[in-house]
Amino acid sequence: MDSQFKEVTSIRGLAAEYHVNNTLNRELGAVRYTPYSQGDSFLFDGILIPTPVQDRRQPFTEIDHLYVSKRGVFAIETKSISGKVYGEKDSKKWNSAQASSFKKDGLYDRGFTNPFRQNAFHVSAINNLFKEACFKAWINNYVVLVDANEYGWEQGHWGGDKVDGLFLSAKELAAHILTMPDKLTHQEVLRIAKLLHIHYTTTKDNMAEFKLHHAD
């Protein structure tokens, strides 16, 4: 991948994740957990979770946003993808056709891993963590295409005009979560947040090893 394009993509990705964090804080009251927290709306961003034993070739997996509240547990994959996106929810790859200053014809056709499949690996890691702690909770697999608009996908290329769990803005995601009924008690939320906090505090120390296994 062109180094200049890679740098721009990385910056856009970080900006998108920052935007989602701010939106979830503003719309849902999501805050970072501390051992003294008494609330029930917590957000863990960029958290590294150990992968299951059979996947130790990747010792950790990084989750963009892990939101925990009485409405449930939400693993959120954020993508800064603009233009028209093509793909099915269960397909291996998605594509997007978008304007680009890096290509002579002004268009860039980008193939990328289906974010739902990518996030499913995150969900399996969280499930494994919960299993080891003898805790059961449904984990929602959600994807946000931050830079998309109403033309972010084309009807028919998804097998329908709506993909369950896909949102075209952080505000749309937050509004959806607000419609969901409570599934967890206050004490269950605190228990999950305490468990995740252990891994959140070690994320910085484990980042070097994570990057080693994800080097280009």
Side-chain angles (χ1 to χ4, degrees), residues 51-60 121 213-214:
T51 56
V53 175
Q54 63 267 30
D55 295 307
R56 287 306 184 191
R57 63 188 181 280
Q58 289 183 256
F60 301 99
F121 185 71
H213 289 267
H214 288 76

Side-chain angles (χ1 to χ4, degrees), residues 28-46:
L28 304 179
V31 298
R32 289 182 176 175
Y33 173 86
T34 74
Y36 307 102
S37 295
Q38 296 299 316
D40 51 24
S41 183
F42 302 112
L43 181 64
F44 301 86
D45 58 305

Side-chain angles (χ1 to χ4, degrees), residues 69-202:
S69 74
K70 292 170 72 175
R71 292 183 171 90
V73 181
F74 303 83
I76 303 165
E77 179 70 17
T78 295
K79 294 294 184 186
S80 177
I81 303 292
S82 57
K84 293 188 176 182
V85 180
Y86 304 86
E88 301 289 344
K89 188 169 184 178
D90 296 326
S91 61
K92 186 176 181 179
K93 291 286 186 179
W94 284 6
N95 286 84
S96 68
Q98 55 190 285
S100 172
S101 60
F102 299 98
K103 299 293 181 179
K104 292 181 180 180
D105 60 4
L107 290 175
Y108 177 66
D109 186 13
R110 177 187 179 188
F112 58 100
T113 300
N114 178 345
F116 281 106
R117 290 173 64 98
Q118 185 179 355
N119 211 29
F121 185 71
H122 301 157
V123 169
S124 68
I126 302 167
N127 275 323
N128 187 68
L129 190 67
F130 284 2
K131 182 179 179 180
E132 291 178 348
C134 299
F135 190 88
K136 291 184 178 180
W138 175 260
I139 301 161
N140 297 276
N141 181 346
Y142 284 172
V143 172
V144 184
L145 301 181
V146 169
D147 294 320
N149 53 33
E150 64 268 27
Y151 303 108
W153 77 82
E154 286 198 342
Q155 183 174 357
H157 287 276
W158 299 89
D161 61 354
K162 181 66 176 175
V163 176
D164 183 43
L166 173 69
F167 302 92
L168 300 183
S169 73
K171 192 166 185 178
E172 182 184 20
L173 164 66
H176 171 77
I177 292 176
L178 285 173
T179 67
M180 302 181 70
D182 288 352
K183 296 184 176 71
L184 300 172
T185 66
H186 176 71
Q187 289 303 318
E188 287 173 330
V189 171
L190 290 178
R191 181 183 172 190
I192 292 173
K194 183 178 180 179
L195 173 63
L196 295 174
H197 181 68
I198 295 172
H199 297 279
Y200 195 64
T201 57
T202 59

